[in-house]
Amino acid sequence: MTVCSAPTLTVKARAREGSRRMLAAVTWPMASWTTHHGICASSWGSRLPILQGGTFAFVAPSLAMLSLPAWKCPEWTLNASQVNTSSPEFIEEWQKRIRELQGTVMVASCVQMLVGFSGIIGFLMRYIGPLTIAPTISLVALPLFESAGNDAGIHWGVSALTIFLIVLFSQYLKNVFVPVPVYGRGKKCHMAKFNVFQVFPVLLALCLSWFFCFALTVTNALPKSPTAYGYMARTDTKGSVLSQAPWFRFPYPGQWGLPTVSLAGVFGIIAGVISSMVESVGDYHACARLVGAPPPPKHAINRGIGIEGLGCLLAGAWGTGNGTTSYSENVGALGITRVGSRMVIVAAGCVLLLMGMFGKIGAAFATIPTPVIGGMFLVMFGVISAVGISNLQYVDMNSSRNLFVFGFSIYCGLAIPNWVNENPEKLQTGILQLDQVIQVLLTTGMFVGGFLGFFLDNTIPGTPEERGLLAWSQIQEDSEETVKASKVYGFPWGIGTKFCTSSCTRVLPFWPRLDPRGDKTGVNQLTQCPQTSSGKKLWGVTETKM
């Protein structure tokens, strides 16, 4: 569901009613291409079982860029009841915005590839600490409260039901096991217990709320007038999107036309790229800890960030209107399911690649009632904000220095973009391109907060232990050249150990390092099995290996 969430937010800034058709067009190309990138990342990138997909880090700079006067929606597109969404004029209105996003994402992704494959990200990690990461990630979601609140406010009853079901399944029923049929090599077909509410809380809640809205629509409990409160909770308001969508649709590069580029957009998306890279590095460490692997060494981080940049470049070329990043939600699923297999990620990517070619599936997701999406956003954005703040666990929060750095950074990340949005005419330098760059950067909260956190944390005196850098650097150094790390994070098929072992490749920052001791011992496969609190396996035949 997170694959659909980022395009849903971004299309709201482009065109009103036609955004539903555009969402149907870009959602499953996004799902298919980014999961294809997930296959490459787990095989050649960080080598960890992390799913890749559309990033929320690009939503804020995209909205900031599309709020510029040049991209304001024309007045004649604002009244959905009087617009022919199939007209060439209206189609061009949203497609030219897609092309602009395509070009900026492609250019900004080249910066990410440079930072990754050149080893810059590995070098900068010594200066990037929790006080930089915490405001950056938190400000990915905090500025979006207005969008989430507006969507939920379309019908608070439906939104409250969605929130209630997500909280019920993910928090109260997470330890309730449901008998399900299982086939194994030992016992063949038998019944086993599975915590379905903990694994699929959002999907179950969304489907139930969706069905509830369908029942209210069939019984005409919801108003039929487009101007009445709660009308957008009906499931038949976007029926034309599903009927007009083709059964088969193969996405291809340049499907919306030749991409365009603007300097302001590139700088804004680069701010999103920085936030995405910081979040991905944190995901690498969390994923490694959950699957029992050693912490990722610098060459794995460099390679992972570089491959993610390549994925952003190709996702932009395919016209998704967004980039790719590691899914923090996927890391949480690893902790729940204890499935740490690369092959699971590869299989899931192949399934979504096939689903991305069926246009009806993307159109079906575009017909989800808006208040259902709003309720899901309220929960999801709250969790993302908390994930950012959780990085402060490594920092001494009894220090007045750290309290000032974090508090000032995150508050300015909310206050400055709000002021710039309300007073754009106050930032006039006389150079149009420079004005656009300044406006996009200063209206991107995660750039403002992350930059202030980085600057203050590295200039205000403080000990490494106080700043939380000591624990991070120690973990990184311990994992750099161990035998286990070389086996987990090395290239597949013996590349770098049996083939391509020349001294020239050893100077590449992203190339795996051979263990200097030449020790052949170690673990080639990491096994994780779900267990109960008493230590008994729930799935005796489903050991998963990485």
Side-chain angles (χ1 to χ4, degrees):
M1 292 312 302
T2 315
V3 175
C4 309
S5 302
T8 301
L9 276 175
T10 310
V11 297
K12 292 180 182 296
R14 299 174 191 160
R16 302 294 178 183
E17 178 65 21
S19 66
R20 286 289 176 178
R21 298 184 60 194
M22 188 180 75
L23 178 60
V26 304
T27 294
W28 281 104
M30 184 78 212
S32 61
W33 181 253
T34 54
T35 46
H36 173 268
H37 169 52
I39 298 174
C40 298
S42 60
S43 302
W44 298 97
S46 64
R47 298 282 289 157
L48 289 168
I50 300 181
L51 188 68
Q52 305 288 318
T55 171
F56 281 105
F58 285 11
V59 173
S62 297
L63 297 180
M65 182 188 74
L66 294 176
S67 66
L68 294 173
W71 297 111
K72 289 287 186 181
C73 292
E75 291 293 333
W76 61 271
T77 65
L78 301 182
N79 191 343
S81 61
Q82 300 180 2
V83 173
N84 180 12
T85 58
S86 301
S87 64
E89 294 82 6
F90 187 83
I91 292 175
E92 175 61 21
E93 281 298 325
W94 65 262
Q95 284 190 356
K96 68 182 182 181
R97 290 164 172 79
I98 281 281
R99 293 194 294 268
E100 181 72 11
L101 281 176
Q102 276 189 266
T104 55
V105 168
M106 292 172 67
V107 174
S109 63
C110 295
V111 176
Q112 184 171 0
M113 286 192 293
L114 175 65
V115 170
F117 289 132
S118 66
I120 295 177
I121 184 65
F123 172 78
L124 290 178
M125 285 310 298
R126 69 184 68 179
Y127 303 106
I128 299 176
L131 289 173
T132 301
I133 294 177
T136 302
I137 296 180
S138 297
L139 288 168
V140 169
L142 287 177
L144 300 175
F145 73 92
E146 184 176 1
S147 177
N150 289 339
D151 287 349
I154 289 177
H155 196 293
W156 278 110
V158 174
S159 302
L161 175 64
T162 306
I163 296 172
F164 170 77
L165 292 175
I166 294 177
V167 175
L168 177 67
F169 295 152
S170 64
Q171 303 301 323
Y172 293 98
L173 300 181
K174 62 181 179 181
N175 295 322
V176 175
F177 296 93
V178 179
V180 294
V182 178
Y183 181 84
R185 290 180 297 231
K187 297 183 180 180
K188 301 300 180 180
C189 187
H190 64 285
M191 299 298 293
K193 293 182 178 180
F194 179 57
N195 51 349
V196 62
F197 297 114
Q198 190 178 29
V199 177
F200 305 113
V202 177
L203 182 61
L204 290 174
L206 186 141
C207 291
L208 290 176
S209 298
W210 198 353
F211 179 77
F212 178 73
C213 290
F214 174 75
L216 294 180
T217 302
V218 173
T219 58
N220 288 324
L222 293 171
K224 293 184 178 181
S225 173
T227 59
Y229 177 80
Y231 170 76
M232 294 304 295
R234 298 180 63 94
T235 56
D236 58 358
T237 58
K238 302 103 180 177
S240 60
V241 175
L242 186 60
S243 62
Q244 295 176 7
W247 277 104
F248 300 97
R249 187 176 185 279
F250 190 80
Y252 55 90
Q255 57 184 323
W256 313 119
L258 186 65
T260 59
V261 180
S262 67
L263 186 63
V266 169
F267 275 91
I269 297 296
I270 286 177
V273 165
I274 295 172
S275 174
S276 175
M277 290 189 294
V278 171
E279 182 183 6
S280 294
V281 172
D283 289 339
Y284 296 162
H285 285 274
C287 179
R289 184 172 63 252
L290 287 173
V291 301
K298 289 182 180 179
H299 66 79
I301 294 177
N302 293 335
R303 193 168 63 246
I305 295 299
I307 291 294
E308 285 191 19
L310 178 61
C312 287
L313 175 65
L314 298 177
W318 257 253
T320 63
N322 200 358
T324 63
T325 190
S326 299
Y327 266 172
S328 301
E329 292 82 359
N330 170 239
V331 176
L334 290 177
I336 296 171
T337 63
R338 298 291 181 181
V339 176
S341 173
R342 297 188 186 108
M343 291 309 299
V344 172
I345 300 298
V346 172
C350 292
V351 170
L352 285 177
L353 273 174
L354 294 176
M355 293 176 66
M357 299 178 187
F358 293 90
K360 294 291 186 183
I361 297 178
F365 277 95
T367 62
I368 299 175
T370 302
V372 175
I373 297 294
M376 183 182 67
F377 280 164
L378 288 177
V379 177
M380 183 179 299
F381 293 157
V383 172
I384 293 175
S385 301
V387 167
I389 297 174
S390 68
N391 287 278
L392 298 176
Q393 62 183 302
Y394 303 103
V395 177
D396 180 12
M397 293 309 293
N398 292 320
S399 168
S400 60
R401 170 197 182 275
N402 294 339
L403 290 174
F404 166 75
V405 171
F406 176 72
F408 181 74
S409 299
I410 202 166
Y411 201 79
C412 286
L414 294 172
I416 293 178
N418 181 68
W419 182 87
V420 175
N421 281 324
E422 293 182 355
N423 303 277
E425 72 283 353
K426 300 292 180 63
L427 297 175
Q428 301 292 335
T429 63
I431 304 175
L432 179 61
Q433 291 78 9
L434 181 59
D435 292 342
Q436 292 177 343
V437 170
I438 294 175
Q439 184 172 351
V440 170
L441 291 180
L442 293 184
T443 53
T444 305
M446 60 187 178
F447 170 78
V448 176
F451 174 78
L452 289 175
F454 175 81
F455 176 78
L456 295 175
D457 188 35
N458 285 278
T459 55
I460 298 178
T463 64
E465 183 178 6
E466 181 184 16
R467 298 169 58 192
L469 299 177
L470 191 61
W472 284 21
S473 61
Q474 185 62 42
I475 292 174
Q476 185 68 38
E477 291 172 1
D478 291 344
S479 67
E480 201 59 42
E481 298 293 347
T482 61
V483 178
K484 194 174 181 180
S486 65
K487 288 184 175 294
V488 172
Y489 298 105
F491 284 129
W493 307 315
I495 298 177
T497 56
K498 298 179 181 179
F499 312 103
C500 303
T501 57
S502 66
S503 58
C504 297
T505 59
R506 298 298 164 200
V507 300
L508 298 176
F510 57 86
W511 201 263
R513 305 292 189 265
L514 283 175
D515 182 63
R517 294 166 292 182
D519 192 353
K520 300 301 181 183
T521 61
V523 180
N524 191 30
Q525 292 179 322
L526 304 175
T527 303
Q528 291 284 306
C529 305
Q531 296 180 349
T532 63
S533 57
S534 60
K536 296 182 179 180
K537 297 177 183 177
L538 290 173
W539 300 77
V541 294
T542 56
E543 291 187 355
T544 56
K545 298 179 179 180
M546 171 179 164

